């Protein structure tokens, strides 16, 4: 799969609109989207979609974004290799049991692609060092239909789904090159941000991120008490999850309501013993004010 660096840069401005501090985050992983439209071009559509969606989720600042399945597979292979004793040991060696689990999974399919080619109306610079370079415009367009859904990894249940339609702009102009010129690169110099299909993908993935962010309000956020001392209480959530100094959390015993027939967890209820305030934050833990009666393992919920 080709690196879609220019496409990722094109998406940055759109994703920045979602970036806000202080939000409580969930870990999320994007699975490869199936190209049911069977569209073929200079890049693989399913891989392209997964790459840019992962990038926009990172840029949104709303999620703890995990590597796609192939990246996590490669990480596990490195852990296995380190555990075999065939590599140098030490603190920097990858260790088993420390990989961040995905709370939310994103998957879907590309169901329809429509691309209209326009006249090029351009010209080529056919001599000297610029041989093979062309300047031209395209009046064509592109449309892409995506069905996306978000799944709870703990239960396997689909939490929400949505169909989005991405469309390109009416006209684009770019500087392109072909052949083995300019260091042997191929494609468009300005990349997917000027390509009709790239514009349609960017439009669709922006809508997809908006949809995913909107689902966060309906997904319960929780943590646990990790350590209790007379002068402080530690919870197992930190800046990575969006915890900030001054935030308040309810502490209490959590009881799960289980379906007697299926074993499925139907809901949970907290018997609150008090509320704490965050005084210091590290990447994965937070220090809060002490709370009488608190015990290690108790539940932590955002204060109501």
């Amino acid at each position: 799969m080709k690196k879609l660096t220019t496409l990722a840069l094109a998406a940055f401005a759109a994703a920045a609109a979602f970036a806000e501090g202080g939000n409580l985050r969930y870990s999320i992983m994007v699975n490869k989207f199936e190209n049911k439209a069977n569209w073929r071009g200079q890049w693989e559509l399913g891989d392209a979609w997964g790459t840019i969606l992962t990038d926009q989720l990172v840029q949104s600042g709303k999620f703890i974004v995990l590597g796609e399945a192939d990246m996590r597979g490669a990480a596990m292979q490195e852990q296995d290799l380190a555990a075999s004793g065939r590599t140098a040991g030490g603190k920097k060696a990858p260790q088993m049991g420390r990989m961040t689990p995905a709370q939310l999974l994103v998957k879907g399919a590309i169901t329809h692609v429509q691309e209209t080619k326009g006249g090029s109306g351009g010209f080529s610079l056919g001599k000297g060092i610029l041989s093979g370079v062309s300047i031209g415009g395209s009046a064509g367009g592109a449309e892409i239909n995506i069905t996306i859904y978000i799944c709870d990894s703990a239960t396997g249940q689909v939490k929400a789904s949505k169909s989005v339609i991405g469309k390109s702009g009416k006209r684009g102009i770019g500087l392109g090159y072909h052949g083995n010129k300019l260091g042997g690169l191929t494609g468009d110099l300005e990349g997917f941000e000027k390509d009709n299909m790239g514009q349609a993908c960017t439009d669709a993935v922006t809508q997809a991120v908006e949809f995913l962010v909107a689902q966060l309000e309906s997904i319960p956020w929780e943590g646990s008490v990790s350590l209790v001392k007379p002068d402080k209480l530690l919870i197992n959530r930190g800046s990575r999850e969006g915890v900030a100094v001054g935030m308040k959390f309810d502490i209490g015993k959590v009881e799960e309501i289980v379906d007697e027939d299926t074993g499925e967890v139907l809901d949970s209820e907290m018997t609150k013993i008090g509320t704490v305030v965050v005084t210091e934050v590290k990447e994965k833990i937070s220090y809060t004010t002490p709370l009488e009666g608190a015990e290690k393992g108790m539940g932590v919920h955002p204060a109501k």
Side-chain angles (χ1 to χ4, degrees):
M1 170 186 153
K2 296 182 179 179
K3 298 296 184 181
L4 303 178
T5 306
T6 51
L7 182 57
L9 292 174
F12 178 81
F18 304 117
E20 298 175 3
N23 55 291
L24 296 175
R25 305 184 185 101
Y26 302 78
S27 58
I28 192 168
M29 184 178 75
V30 177
N31 286 294
K32 182 176 179 177
F33 277 58
E34 186 178 354
N35 180 11
K36 292 187 176 181
N38 293 319
W39 181 88
R40 294 290 181 268
Q42 63 176 330
W43 39 280
E44 207 289 313
L45 193 55
D47 287 339
W49 174 266
T51 298
I52 191 56
L53 179 57
T54 297
D55 176 75
Q56 279 214 31
L57 288 171
V58 172
Q59 302 300 341
S60 75
K62 297 288 188 180
F63 301 91
I64 303 166
V65 184
L66 308 180
E68 296 177 53
D70 58 338
M71 296 175 65
R72 290 167 66 82
M76 287 188 284
Q77 289 178 3
E78 287 299 313
Q79 293 171 11
D80 292 341
L81 181 61
S84 72
R86 294 193 297 272
T87 64
K91 294 182 179 180
K92 292 185 178 181
Q95 299 181 29
M96 293 183 177
R98 297 190 177 184
M99 184 172 288
T100 302
Q103 297 165 296
L104 304 173
L105 303 172
V106 178
K107 189 172 176 59
I110 300 157
T111 58
H112 176 72
V113 173
Q114 181 174 330
E115 189 173 22
T116 304
K117 299 293 185 180
S120 62
F123 59 92
S124 297
L125 305 177
K127 295 182 179 181
I129 192 172
L130 292 178
S131 176
V133 178
S134 62
I135 299 176
S138 174
E143 179 178 299
I144 183 169
N145 296 40
I146 307 286
T147 298
I148 182 172
Y149 57 90
I150 184 169
C151 178
D152 184 334
S153 65
T155 64
Q157 292 186 343
V158 175
K159 306 293 291 187
S161 63
K162 184 179 179 63
S163 294
V164 299
I165 301 175
K167 297 182 179 181
S168 65
K170 293 182 178 180
R171 186 175 180 84
I173 186 169
L175 175 67
Y177 50 87
H178 59 272
N180 58 2
K181 300 299 178 181
L182 302 180
L185 299 173
T186 60
D188 292 323
L189 186 62
E190 293 182 317
F192 280 73
E193 70 269 24
K194 293 300 182 182
D195 178 86
N196 286 324
M197 189 57 66
Q199 290 178 9
C201 280
T202 302
D203 181 30
V205 82
T206 300
Q207 296 178 54
V209 172
E210 290 175 346
F211 159 70
L212 294 172
V213 170
Q215 307 313 307
L216 296 181
E217 293 182 4
S218 63
I219 300 175
W221 189 98
E222 59 186 4
S224 299
V225 175
S226 295
L227 182 67
V228 178
K229 296 264 182 148
D231 60 338
K232 60 189 173 184
L233 181 149
L234 273 69
I235 64 175
N236 64 343
R237 299 289 183 267
S239 59
R240 183 183 65 171
E241 286 80 17
V243 179
V245 171
M247 283 185 171
K248 297 181 179 181
F249 292 95
D250 292 336
I251 307 295
K253 294 183 178 180
V254 177
E255 182 179 3
E256 293 183 339
I257 303 171
V258 179
D259 188 318
E260 296 296 331
D261 296 327
T262 66
E264 179 184 13
V265 176
L266 303 176
D267 200 357
S268 63
E269 288 189 355
M270 172 186 280
T271 302
K272 175 183 170 182
I273 65 168
T275 301
V276 297
V277 180
V278 176
T279 58
E280 182 183 352
V281 178
K282 294 185 178 181
E283 182 186 5
K284 298 179 182 179
I285 62 171
S286 297
Y287 295 80
T288 75
T289 53
L291 179 63
E292 185 177 353
E295 299 176 0
K296 182 177 179 179
M298 280 188 169
V300 178
H301 291 176
K304 297 181 179 178

